[in-house]
Amino acid sequence: MIKVRNISKSFASNQALQDVTFQIQKGQFVTLLGVNGAGKTTLTRILATLTRPTKGTAQIAGHWIDKEPIAVRRQIGVMSHFSFLYGDLSAEENLHFYGKMYAVQNLQQRIDELLQQVNLQTRRYELVQTFSRGMQQRLSLARAIIHRPNILLLDEPFAGLDVNAHKMLNDLLHNFIAHDSTVLLTTHDIDYAVKNSHRLIIIKDGRVIADEPTASITTNHIKNLLADKAK
Amino acid sequence: MTGLKQILTIVQKDLILEMRSKEIIVSMLVFSLIVVAVFNFIFDPGSEQIRTTAPGILWIAIIFASNLGLSRSFAREHENAHMQGILLCPVDRSLLYIAKVIGNIIFITIVEIISLPVMVVLFDLDLHGVLPLLLLVLFLGTLGFAGVGTLFSTISANTKSREVMLPILLFPVTIPIILAASKSTSYLLAGRDISQIWSWMRILIIFDVIFLVVCFLLYEYVLEE
């Protein structure tokens, strides 16, 4: 579903990613683990076609990110710590805007269904700027999946959420994943990654230093890996 | 057809946001009316002096007010990374440029629709017989300025000092448009021969086409990091 081939990215003299290669099968939940500045967000942005790699390429659902970016964008849903929602538009208007951009069929029905799923149907006509951070992230998930993407790219989606909002968003995410979708999550929350992913890719200084099934790796081992490489 | 719908969706979204916040239109309008009012205090209404300087005053008001609006329209897209949300949609970057140009033209035109009658009244200008052509010159000048302005406001929105950066980038490049638009307006209000007016309008149209095509082709690259 996702094939990353020798991707490197540099910003002036800073090498953000170096020769990153991995594959993710359909239906897998894979977590990219790493400390701040490891290159996780840069890799997510490259896969989301927001940034071009300096070297290498990737294929998403059979489409090359450099040659068919529009086809790639139809296949992916992206959620980050930014909600991408307009504060001066209501929850429904935000979904309506993004739904029309993706040319979603039966849009009103899809919006009703999503607002029901993220438990915001009673707040649908209220401006997003009046929403809590947790509500905005739930709506952001609805925005990200409005076009029924096969792949979800999640860049620190839980950042800034309290325990309840974190749990609610996590439950919604797992509901989405149950529908045989592929997920690539970036986080530095080791416990969450171990508990929820099928596979962990640990990234440090722009390089993949480990790529293991979650079942074969312990939290302590991950901590040691990150600490060793940090020395 | 999908592309056209995406353009209309972005324009509609920008108009709704502006109707709710009114921050772009109000700031542009207040600025342009202040310029007109200040010059009204300096010159005597109906004098020969005002007739010769009115086209310049009109374009100063439009250009500086547009600069304010252009700067704000893209700053708004960068708050909460809205621009990234749009860039994640399956939309061609060039269509995004067209949508943003249309939105900016609408905002500038609203300011012109209000500022022009105020200027006509305060400066006692006679637009009898020249109004259709004057509106065409205003549209062509606005088209060119918004076309270049949309590209440069996208570039400057990524910089720390975007309010300072935009006029520094924009004004030197748009000199041919400003010159041709103000000369066309000046000749129109002075009642010059149509051939003289047309010679400047032709320059305005040529630069509009050149700038719009170049900006359309370059827009994808300015959205890159």
Side-chain angles (χ1 to χ4, degrees):
Chain A
M1 208 64 177
I2 301 177
K3 289 178 189 169
V4 178
R5 286 188 188 169
N6 309 103
I7 282 187
S8 296
K9 176 72 182 178
S10 55
F11 298 100
S13 60
N14 176 31
Q15 189 76 31
L17 291 171
Q18 295 181 62
D19 219 19
V20 173
T21 299
F22 60 83
Q23 279 194 38
I24 300 175
Q25 303 303 321
K26 189 180 178 188
Q28 272 198 323
F29 188 128
V30 176
T31 298
L32 268 179
L33 260 179
V35 294
N36 289 336
K40 306 184 298 290
T41 298
T42 303
L43 182 58
T44 310
R45 287 177 59 81
I46 288 171
L47 296 180
T49 73
L50 288 173
T51 303
R52 287 175 204 246
T54 312
K55 208 187 88 188
T57 187
Q59 199 181 39
I60 292 187
H63 303 286
W64 294 104
I65 54 166
D66 47 349
K67 292 179 185 134
E68 307 155 277
I70 292 178
V72 169
R73 284 179 220 138
R74 284 201 185 94
Q75 299 294 326
I76 59 169
V78 181
M79 200 182 159
S80 83
H81 48 283
F82 291 114
S83 69
F84 307 140
L85 300 168
Y86 291 90
D88 281 333
L89 296 184
S90 69
E92 179 163 325
E93 285 170 335
N94 267 290
L95 293 184
H96 212 263
F97 169 68
Y98 282 107
K100 281 169 85 174
M101 292 301 288
Y102 282 99
V104 174
Q105 301 296 313
N106 302 319
L107 182 56
Q108 193 56 50
Q109 191 186 328
R110 178 69 177 150
I111 290 171
D112 294 344
E113 179 187 308
L114 285 170
L115 286 173
Q116 183 85 28
Q117 279 178 25
V118 298
N119 200 20
L120 286 171
Q121 68 274 32
T122 56
R123 307 285 300 264
R124 64 192 302 155
Y125 301 120
E126 292 178 34
L127 296 185
V128 165
Q129 64 191 4
T130 66
F131 286 10
S132 68
R133 169 97 181 122
M135 288 162 72
Q136 288 194 16
Q137 282 303 80
R138 269 147 55 202
L139 188 62
S140 182
L141 176 63
R143 172 201 55 76
I145 62 173
I146 194 161
H147 56 297
R148 298 182 177 87
N150 295 314
I151 296 161
L152 207 50
L153 303 177
L154 309 169
D155 183 21
E156 307 274 6
F158 301 108
L161 294 185
D162 62 32
V163 178
N164 289 337
H166 187 295
K167 187 186 176 309
M168 206 168 197
L169 184 62
N170 187 42
D171 291 345
L172 285 168
L173 269 176
H174 281 277
N175 185 33
F176 173 75
I177 296 153
H179 295 94
D180 206 19
S181 293
T182 309
V183 179
L184 178 63
L185 169 83
T186 73
T187 184
H188 39 231
D189 184 343
I190 298 172
D191 293 331
Y192 180 85
V194 169
K195 196 176 166 190
N196 292 280
S197 324
H198 297 123
R199 201 171 119 212
L200 298 175
I201 297 173
I202 302 171
I203 193 163
K204 175 72 184 167
D205 294 332
R207 288 180 187 277
V208 173
I209 59 167
D211 184 349
E212 309 262 355
T214 313
S216 67
I217 198 163
T218 63
T219 305
N220 281 339
H221 182 47
I222 297 164
K223 283 178 182 168
N224 287 338
L225 268 174
L226 290 172
D228 284 347
K229 293 288 173 178
K231 281 175 190 171
Chain B
M1 196 61 192
T2 307
L4 182 63
K5 280 183 184 169
Q6 286 174 324
I7 290 172
L8 294 175
T9 302
I10 296 170
V11 173
Q12 187 187 27
K13 181 264 300 172
D14 285 345
L15 293 179
I16 292 171
L17 287 174
E18 184 51 30
M19 270 164 49
R20 300 223 168 122
S21 69
K22 297 179 184 68
E23 58 182 336
I24 294 175
I25 295 284
V26 168
S27 59
M28 287 171 75
L29 196 55
V30 167
F31 184 87
S32 101
L33 292 177
I34 285 173
V35 169
V36 172
V38 166
F39 279 99
N40 181 51
F41 295 140
I42 297 169
F43 300 112
D44 293 328
S47 66
E48 189 53 35
Q49 216 177 6
I50 198 77
R51 250 185 283 278
T52 54
T53 52
I57 298 166
L58 175 67
W59 281 102
I60 284 172
I62 292 170
I63 286 160
F64 282 90
S66 302
N67 178 61
L68 279 179
L70 287 165
S71 175
R72 192 61 213 134
S73 74
F74 273 89
R76 186 157 65 188
E77 290 291 9
H78 279 263
E79 288 161 8
N80 208 12
H82 297 131
M83 187 54 112
Q84 281 185 37
I86 296 178
L87 294 178
L88 285 167
C89 298
V91 59
D92 195 286
R93 276 32 176 169
S94 310
L95 298 182
L96 178 58
Y97 171 73
I98 295 171
K100 287 293 174 187
V101 171
I102 292 171
N104 287 325
I105 287 174
I106 292 171
F107 295 147
I108 298 170
T109 304
I110 291 170
V111 172
E112 289 170 350
I113 286 169
I114 298 169
S115 300
L116 184 63
V118 171
M119 199 171 166
V120 168
V121 171
L122 289 178
F123 292 180
D124 195 20
L125 298 174
D126 182 14
L127 300 184
H128 186 72
V130 298
L131 188 60
L133 217 48
L134 178 63
L135 293 178
L136 179 62
V137 171
L138 278 173
F139 172 73
L140 290 171
T142 304
L143 178 67
F145 198 76
V148 183
T150 300
L151 182 83
F152 283 121
S153 60
T154 308
I155 295 170
S156 64
N158 288 315
T159 63
K160 282 179 185 170
S161 50
R162 65 172 78 101
E163 282 80 10
V164 179
M165 193 57 75
L166 180 59
I168 289 172
L169 291 171
L170 182 58
F171 290 158
V173 175
T174 50
I175 283 173
I177 291 173
I178 299 168
L179 183 67
S182 57
K183 279 287 183 188
S184 303
T185 312
S186 172
Y187 283 9
L188 261 171
L189 294 182
R192 295 277 192 100
D193 188 69
I194 190 72
S195 62
Q196 286 182 303
I197 300 165
W198 178 239
S199 67
W200 279 108
M201 281 182 71
R202 207 164 42 204
I203 293 170
L204 183 55
I205 291 168
I206 290 167
F207 273 101
D208 273 3
V209 172
I210 292 170
F211 281 142
L212 284 170
V213 170
V214 171
C215 293
F216 177 84
L217 296 174
L218 287 178
Y219 200 68
E220 183 177 350
Y221 300 98
V222 305
L223 289 169
E224 290 282 320
E225 281 174 343

